[in-house]
Amino acid sequence: MSHSRHPTRRRLLQGAAGAATLAGIGMPAIVKAQSDAIRIGHLTPLTGFLGPLGEYAQMGVRLAAEEINAAGGVLGRRIELVMEDSVNPQTASAKAERLIERDKVAMIIGEISSASGLAIGQVANRLKTVFINTGCNSDALRGASCNPYMFHIEAANSMYVEAVGNYLLRENLVKGKKWYTLTADYAFGHDLARVARNFLQKNGGQLAGDDLVPTDATDFSPYLLKIRQARPDVVASNLAGNQITNFIKQYAEYGLPFPVAGFGFDTVVAWGAGKGNFSGIWPLVWHHLVDTPSSKKYVEAFQTKYGKLPDNQSWGDYHSLKIVAQSMNEVKSADPQKLAEHLRKGAKFDVGKAREAYFRAYDNQMIMEMYAIRAKAPDKMKDQWDIYEPLGSVPGPGEDMEILAPPKDGTCKMA
Amino acid sequence: MQLIFLLEQVLNGLLVGAYYLLIALGLSLIFSLGGIVNLAHGGFYAVGAYLAVLLAPRIGFSGAFVASPILVALLGIVIERFFFRRFYRSDPILSLLLTFGLAMVIEQGLRMIFGAAPLPFAIPPEFRGQVLLGDFIYPRYRLGIFAIAIAAVAATWFIVYRTSFGRVVRAGVQNPDMVGALGIPLQPYMTAVAALGVGLAGLAGVLLAPISGVHPAMGAEILTAAFVVVVIGGLGSFWGVIFAAVLVGVVRGITIYFYPPAGEASIYLLMALVLLLRPRGLLGERIQKFE
């Protein structure tokens, strides 16, 4: 054994070096260092049950930075991204602080978990730096936890529920119907379940059951059996991330006959479900079939760069950076105070939708159109990406866009 | 009526137990013989699932079902030859660190090659459908998993308890020095056991890929539950693992029936309880080298 000891140890060391290189991927990735560049922090979960979405978030923001720099940058300076994995609320908070104080970023974009988003928002407020939330849906972030430095390009839970609710009402799935919901057991899910309950109550639907599902659950069979026993008229998902993939797959496996709907959704997790599994009506903040010139341009640019279709998450991170670049150019400064003021003054932005969007001053929520989609029958799908058809957009052309937004109930008090 | 629903959860717990068993069995085997706590076991499970997704369009699901565990077992042989082999006699903390690192390398490797998004994969149409027994429902695919898990357990039992190969393996668990003194080199047996254990993880990966998300962290997700099963059953106990897998499946199902948020927590509570009352697990044996 001893004669072979030396070479194998070397091989082991090489393996360790390889592992260290791999681990290095977790370190902050600074895209092109340049001293006079404007640094933008990007913080989002890359691991865990929201990891699949975080990857698309990074793709979106990278594409935006590339386009902005190719067009001459902002105020003649390049955009430089400092990107990190936010992991969990504690880490997200620590990393946000480090990005602002050590890396001197001009502002932060990102996050998907509502629990981590709250933590980053608090840091942003304390250090007076703009944070644009691209994936946290909790109404609470726009309510009791709102602050003048936290902006939301991601729609609030209320907006998702109103958007999909509009179509569920048209399909006659609400009034007098029995609903069974599965809810992700963390900040986002609890908040969404509350909004969904209010929606059902307001429109004459009944809640036959609501089960909290731990975020690390992979087997849904006990929940599916309970649903089957309750015999509801509609099964609705308040789940998040990988949970939705597992739910969709196993719901199809058990072949339950009840129609499915969702109050929160991400395209990536449905693309990952596999042929013949996806069903139901779901809301989206944006999808790749939205038929506007700027939306089509985005889809094309994304496909050229990454060879696949963009999802709703990448849309948020892409447009956030575009909005920041446009605003800094307009106010001719990278100062966070001026940026925050400009965003709050109701500046209009093209975010790939039929109507221009703006942040409302009450809670810094982006006011915009929302969409709903319906799963396609398996035999009508052209390929693995072609899993849904658009149902349309809300509010209607004549309606005020703000009708979707969370009610101005006075819980948000900007200090 | 209530009681029937509860009974349904209990019976379903058996199926879920099969799901845990497939992963826990290999973990238990590798630990029993080599004393290696294989934290990378979930990684091999994930590799098995990814191989299934890659191979199924080319050689069909049945082909992937055969090929993928074999390929994962071959990977196990390589890993045993270059890594595990150096740690059989050393402090368990070293192999723990090694396999922890290996698990991260596998997960990040999958993320770099395939991306973080789940890969689409579904139950092949010929295995879809449900079996209705009175008021109870069983997906055909899950019954298939159950049957295969039983077959895998039976085959493993036969190898370990009814062959001369198994006799050497069991002797090696109790007293490796004596086996060596009798002139039997234990090394090839260790390699074979690692291949078998890791291959079982690959088998679990193929079988579960159609019903759970195929993404890089799928191994980490399932690993803790598999460990709980091994610890509850008792380290080194063949029947303990089987009993514990079923127990975990049933306890989880009943908990979700009454109080869904505690679904995942229930299995950890069960483990804590077992460790308090019987620290070596329900059917754990005394193993000389771990005393």
Side-chain angles (χ1 to χ4, degrees):
Chain A
M1 201 59 188
S2 63
H3 63 277
S4 69
R5 206 163 180 87
H6 192 70
T8 9
R9 172 172 296 161
R10 191 162 62 206
R11 219 167 301 147
L12 250 183
L13 283 174
Q14 283 165 350
T21 319
L22 287 177
I25 290 155
M27 293 274 122
I30 298 181
V31 182
K32 296 208 179 73
Q34 211 168 37
S35 57
D36 65 335
I38 296 177
R39 289 183 153 194
I40 303 288
H42 188 265
L43 197 50
T44 215
L46 299 177
T47 44
F49 75 111
L50 297 170
L53 309 177
E55 188 179 70
Y56 273 81
Q58 285 201 336
M59 288 195 267
V61 80
R62 267 207 199 100
L63 175 61
E66 206 170 85
E67 289 182 0
I68 293 164
N69 287 336
V74 174
L75 308 168
R77 296 158 70 187
R78 289 180 61 79
I79 290 285
E80 178 186 309
L81 291 171
V82 187
M83 304 204 281
E84 294 226 28
D85 180 357
S86 62
V87 188
N88 58 37
Q90 293 76 27
T91 312
S93 171
K95 285 193 173 177
E97 202 165 316
R98 207 171 63 195
L99 280 173
I100 297 167
E101 298 203 313
R102 192 194 68 187
D103 299 318
K104 306 281 180 220
V105 299
M107 53 90 54
I108 294 177
I109 291 174
E111 200 42 63
I112 298 167
S113 151
S114 290
S116 300
L118 174 63
I120 299 171
Q122 284 165 346
V123 172
N125 191 32
R126 183 155 47 81
L127 300 177
K128 306 205 181 310
T129 304
V130 171
F131 162 49
I132 301 186
N133 153 34
T134 61
C136 316
N137 304 20
S138 272
D139 277 15
L141 295 182
R142 290 85 172 163
S145 307
C146 77
N147 76 58
Y149 289 91
M150 177 164 56
F151 292 81
H152 311 277
I153 193 169
E154 171 65 291
N157 276 334
S158 293
M159 297 163 74
Y160 278 97
V161 171
E162 285 296 324
V164 76
N166 214 295
Y167 291 94
L168 295 170
L169 287 168
R170 283 183 214 180
E171 304 267 324
N172 215 2
L173 287 170
V174 184
K175 196 172 165 57
K177 303 288 184 191
K178 257 168 62 180
W179 283 62
Y180 202 108
T181 53
L182 292 181
T183 297
D185 194 7
Y186 79 108
F188 154 78
H190 298 179
D191 190 273
L192 181 54
R194 185 184 53 77
V195 180
R197 267 197 302 275
N198 290 344
F199 168 79
L200 291 178
Q201 209 168 27
K202 197 173 72 189
N203 294 291
Q206 288 175 39
L207 195 61
D210 175 37
D211 285 350
L212 290 172
V213 183
T215 55
D216 57 345
T218 51
D219 168 53
F220 278 70
S221 61
Y223 298 98
L224 295 171
L225 292 179
K226 286 181 78 174
I227 290 173
R228 185 167 174 268
Q229 290 156 4
R231 305 201 183 284
D233 297 308
V234 184
V235 178
S237 150
N238 296 324
L239 301 169
N242 287 332
Q243 282 186 322
I244 302 181
T245 311
N246 285 330
F247 166 72
I248 291 174
K249 281 183 139 177
Q250 292 171 31
Y251 194 84
E253 185 200 2
Y254 274 79
L256 300 186
F258 323 113
V260 175
F263 288 120
F265 185 59
D266 289 291
T267 339
V268 171
V269 294
W271 278 333
K275 203 170 166 58
N277 288 336
F278 184 46
S279 65
I281 296 178
W282 305 75
L284 276 170
V285 68
W286 177 86
H287 58 76
H288 72 277
L289 299 173
V290 170
D291 195 13
T292 65
S294 55
S295 171
K296 283 182 172 160
K297 220 178 98 193
Y298 172 55
V299 174
E300 210 182 291
F302 193 97
Q303 272 188 304
T304 312
K305 184 163 166 63
Y306 300 112
K308 49 184 158 188
L309 287 170
D311 75 322
N312 53 293
Q313 185 59 55
S314 68
W315 168 88
D317 295 77
Y318 172 85
H319 284 286
S320 294
L321 188 55
K322 284 288 178 114
I323 285 171
V324 168
Q326 185 188 333
S327 301
M328 285 177 172
N329 275 330
E330 276 169 18
V331 299
K332 298 192 170 42
S333 160
D335 177 56
Q337 196 64 43
K338 285 191 179 145
L339 175 63
E341 271 169 32
H342 181 74
L343 295 179
R344 285 166 62 78
K345 265 196 318 222
K348 294 263 192 345
F349 302 100
D350 177 1
V351 290
K353 304 189 176 188
R355 286 195 259 176
E356 286 189 317
Y358 61 94
F359 293 101
R360 69 172 180 184
Y362 167 70
D363 55 4
N364 291 351
Q365 172 62 50
M366 176 156 275
I367 302 301
M368 57 187 163
E369 291 175 312
M370 296 282 295
Y371 308 88
I373 52 111
R374 186 205 302 272
K376 264 190 178 176
D379 51 331
K380 289 197 185 122
M381 297 178 183
K382 287 198 294 282
D383 53 38
Q384 67 179 77
W385 311 101
D386 186 31
I387 59 169
Y388 54 72
E389 55 199 6
L391 284 174
S393 66
V394 279
E399 289 177 301
D400 181 1
M401 288 202 294
E402 214 178 324
I403 57 171
L404 293 182
K408 288 185 183 172
D409 55 6
T411 47
C412 170
K413 291 181 182 65
M414 297 276 179
Chain B
M1 202 61 180
Q2 274 259 320
L3 210 63
I4 285 182
F5 290 157
L6 199 57
L7 182 67
E8 187 176 17
Q9 290 287 2
V10 171
L11 291 178
N12 186 64
L14 295 176
L15 294 190
V16 178
Y19 172 115
Y20 288 130
L21 179 60
L22 277 173
I23 303 156
L25 194 60
L27 198 61
S28 172
L29 270 181
I30 293 173
F31 179 80
S32 308
L33 186 70
I36 287 191
V37 177
N38 184 16
L39 291 175
H41 207 68
F44 294 115
Y45 159 77
V47 170
Y50 273 88
L51 280 173
V53 174
L54 290 183
L55 294 175
R58 292 171 181 84
I59 55 174
F61 184 75
S62 307
F65 166 71
V66 177
S68 168
I70 293 175
L71 290 174
V72 176
L74 291 177
L75 178 65
I77 290 176
V78 173
I79 300 278
E80 197 276 342
R81 172 66 187 79
F82 292 108
F83 296 100
F84 288 180
R85 191 169 287 190
R86 329 188 116 253
F87 296 95
Y88 290 136
R89 297 257 173 148
S90 53
D91 190 342
I93 196 77
L94 293 179
S95 61
L96 209 63
L97 283 172
L98 169 85
T99 56
F100 184 64
L102 208 53
M104 290 203 289
V105 169
I106 294 175
E107 182 177 331
Q108 194 60 34
L110 290 173
R111 191 170 282 128
M112 287 170 72
I113 299 168
F114 300 99
L119 299 187
F121 198 56
I123 303 173
E126 60 269 30
F127 300 122
R128 283 182 175 250
Q130 299 79 31
V131 176
L132 289 167
L133 289 173
D135 205 28
F136 297 173
I137 185 170
Y138 297 101
R140 285 177 56 204
Y141 187 76
R142 242 172 239 238
L143 290 176
I145 292 184
F146 188 65
I148 290 166
I150 290 177
V153 166
T156 311
W157 176 83
F158 185 80
I159 292 170
V160 175
Y161 289 95
R162 283 291 178 273
T163 60
S164 57
F165 169 85
R167 270 192 290 280
V168 176
V169 168
R170 277 181 295 137
V173 172
Q174 286 299 334
N175 196 334
D177 294 327
M178 184 59 81
V179 175
L182 290 172
I184 303 170
L186 210 48
Q187 198 60 73
Y189 292 88
M190 299 268 205
T191 309
V193 167
L196 183 63
V198 168
L200 281 170
L203 178 68
V206 183
L207 287 174
L208 298 187
I211 57 168
S212 56
V214 180
H215 56 92
M218 66 186 297
E221 263 177 11
I222 199 98
L223 182 73
T224 350
F227 262 109
V228 170
V229 167
V230 173
V231 171
I232 291 177
L235 295 171
S237 163
F238 182 80
W239 295 108
V241 175
I242 296 164
F243 182 63
V246 171
L247 188 66
V248 163
V250 171
V251 166
R252 183 172 170 271
I254 293 174
T255 312
I256 289 173
Y257 184 73
F258 288 109
Y259 187 64
E264 303 305 306
S266 67
I267 66 176
Y268 301 105
L269 280 175
L270 180 67
M271 177 173 74
L273 197 70
V274 168
L275 286 179
L276 278 176
L277 298 176
R278 209 179 143 79
R280 66 180 127 121
L282 293 176
L283 298 175
E285 292 160 23
R286 276 177 189 281
I287 297 174
Q288 214 178 3
K289 67 177 169 185
F290 301 132
E291 296 291 321

